[in-house]
Amino acid sequence: MKTAVVGTVFVDVKGFSQVPYVPTGTNPGRVEIMHGGVSRNVCENFGQQGMQASFISMTDNTALGRDVRDKLARLDVDLKHTIYAEDGMGMWMAILDQRGDLVGSISKQPNFAALEDYLDENIDKALEDCGAVVLEIDTTERIAQTVLDAAERLSKPVYVITANMVVIMRRPEFLRRVRCFICNEIEAGKLMGADLSDKTPEEMKAVLADAMARYGIASMVITMGGRGAVYCDVDGAPGYVEAIPSRVVDSTGAGDAFFSGTVMALNSGLPLEKAVRIGTRLASATLASKTSCCGKLEGLFDIG
């Protein structure tokens, strides 16, 4: 089953410190430029794991934009609804410490006007041959509304991934219209207006149940980094999956990998508990990768 992925492409500029990072000092290390963006990462994860995806997005008509397209095309990602647009790619500058953990970042959003206009005219056509929709909801309210309306018309389940929580905080009622909302503890904290960083898994289960009841969420997952993830379907009790230890090389992209693995499994008909375990496997492998997406992970879906 093909999954439609609606969202953005970013250029990631990453600085890797080789020494304990000092924010106000000069830190020797290396700087790399690579393909990024939440939705682009999801598409690459799908392609690397042999799952079909259709990317509904935009790139600049530049050498870098064409390189993004070429890589996704080599992974058999469907690009017929990826348009060219001036200022169509964002930029993310990130600093990682000597352990590979993110310590600071700045994000420049693309100009969404061309994608908004394209979706107004073509969203039904873009979704019609897909079995499910991944929506990067923090693009614009107009894009989110257009995609959610079309998914309802066409009876397509929607899985939401967030980037900065701006749209959700303005329009939390959107969460009532999605099949599953997957976020990290920082994003969940913004939604609930609380600092959740010190919560135990048991305490986070209570937060999860409260969030689902308050916002009418059918299914939800909250990741807690090295403390694992909690999850719940509307018909079940909250559950917990431990993190898989990994040698961290680059922590960026691990959340997108977790989301990708979980959604791939749900689309394959697996229950949420098994889907979260698969997402955890892919996230762990991505932490140990030098890039934001790992390669093919053999046995990813072999869950007992």
Side-chain angles (χ1 to χ4, degrees), residues 158-160 175-183 208-209 211-213 215-222 230-236 259 262 266 270-273 275-276:
V158 179
Y159 303 95
V160 164
L175 293 176
R176 296 180 178 275
R177 306 173 65 185
V178 308
R179 175 68 60 84
C180 188
F181 175 44
I182 301 171
C183 64
L208 179 68
M212 292 175 67
Y215 294 103
I217 302 169
S219 177
M220 186 172 176
V221 182
I222 303 175
V230 294
Y231 64 89
C232 189
D233 278 324
V234 69
D235 298 325
F259 176 92
T262 302
L266 291 173
L270 293 177
L272 185 58
E273 184 268 340
V276 171

Side-chain angles (χ1 to χ4, degrees), residues 1-299:
M1 177 180 65
K2 186 187 296 183
T3 299
V5 181
V6 185
T8 57
V9 171
F10 271 68
V11 177
D12 289 352
V13 181
K14 295 183 178 180
F16 298 84
S17 181
Q18 294 175 342
V19 298
Y21 180 69
V22 179
T24 58
T26 300
N27 299 272
R30 72 183 195 278
V31 176
E32 297 182 6
I33 298 175
M34 56 190 71
H35 304 168
V38 169
S39 294
R40 193 221 65 86
N41 288 349
V42 170
C43 282
E44 181 174 342
N45 282 319
F46 268 66
Q48 293 282 12
Q49 305 310 319
M51 306 295 282
Q52 290 185 307
S54 174
F55 196 22
I56 305 170
S57 184
M58 56 186 175
T59 69
D60 299 337
N61 191 7
T62 61
L64 186 54
R66 292 189 291 274
D67 190 45
V68 169
R69 290 168 175 264
D70 288 346
K71 182 174 184 178
L72 292 176
R74 289 195 296 271
L75 293 171
D76 293 325
V77 175
D78 186 345
L79 301 176
K80 65 173 175 287
H81 295 291
T82 304
I83 64 173
Y84 284 112
E86 186 175 354
D87 195 23
M89 299 192 303
M91 182 168 286
W92 187 54
M93 183 167 61
I95 303 296
L96 296 98
D97 65 15
Q98 77 282 4
R99 297 182 299 272
D101 290 328
L102 183 68
V103 293
S105 68
I106 297 175
S107 178
K108 173 198 170 292
Q109 296 291 311
N111 184 338
F112 290 108
L115 185 58
E116 288 177 330
D117 291 343
Y118 181 81
L119 292 177
D120 284 346
E121 297 294 326
N122 298 280
I123 186 60
D124 284 18
K125 183 187 299 182
L127 299 186
E128 63 185 2
D129 65 342
C130 296
V133 181
V134 165
L135 172 61
E136 183 185 341
I137 201 164
D138 294 314
T139 49
T140 68
E141 288 183 39
R142 180 176 160 191
I143 289 174
Q145 184 81 60
T146 298
V147 174
L148 289 169
D149 287 350
E152 282 189 1
R153 285 194 303 272
L154 300 171
S155 299
K156 310 289 185 181
V158 179
Y159 303 95
V160 164
I161 189 169
T162 185
N164 52 41
M165 293 291 289
V166 170
V167 171
I168 286 179
M169 296 306 293
R170 287 198 298 256
R171 300 291 302 276
E173 69 273 16
F174 282 166
L175 293 176
R176 296 180 178 275
R177 306 173 65 185
V178 308
R179 175 68 60 84
C180 188
F181 175 44
I182 301 171
C183 64
N184 62 36
E185 62 188 350
I186 296 172
E187 294 155 349
K190 289 182 179 181
L191 187 66
M192 302 302 288
D195 181 0
L196 306 178
S197 59
D198 62 348
K199 297 293 186 184
T200 66
E202 285 302 313
E203 290 171 332
M204 195 67 87
K205 287 181 185 179
V207 172
L208 179 68
D210 186 13
M212 292 175 67
R214 185 183 305 185
Y215 294 103
I217 302 169
S219 177
M220 186 172 176
V221 182
I222 303 175
T223 62
M224 300 177 291
R227 306 196 316 281
V230 294
Y231 64 89
C232 189
D233 278 324
V234 69
D235 298 325
Y240 168 69
V241 170
E242 292 184 352
I244 298 174
S246 177
R247 183 179 65 88
V248 178
V249 174
D250 181 351
S251 61
T252 62
D256 300 339
F258 177 93
F259 176 92
S260 301
T262 302
V263 172
M264 289 179 212
L266 291 173
N267 283 346
S268 299
L270 293 177
L272 185 58
E273 184 268 340
K274 290 187 176 181
V276 171
R277 292 189 183 279
I278 288 168
T280 300
R281 284 185 178 181
L282 194 58
S284 178
T286 301
L287 285 169
S289 172
K290 293 181 179 179
T291 61
S292 297
C293 302
C294 68
K296 175 72 173 177
L297 193 58
E298 297 298 335

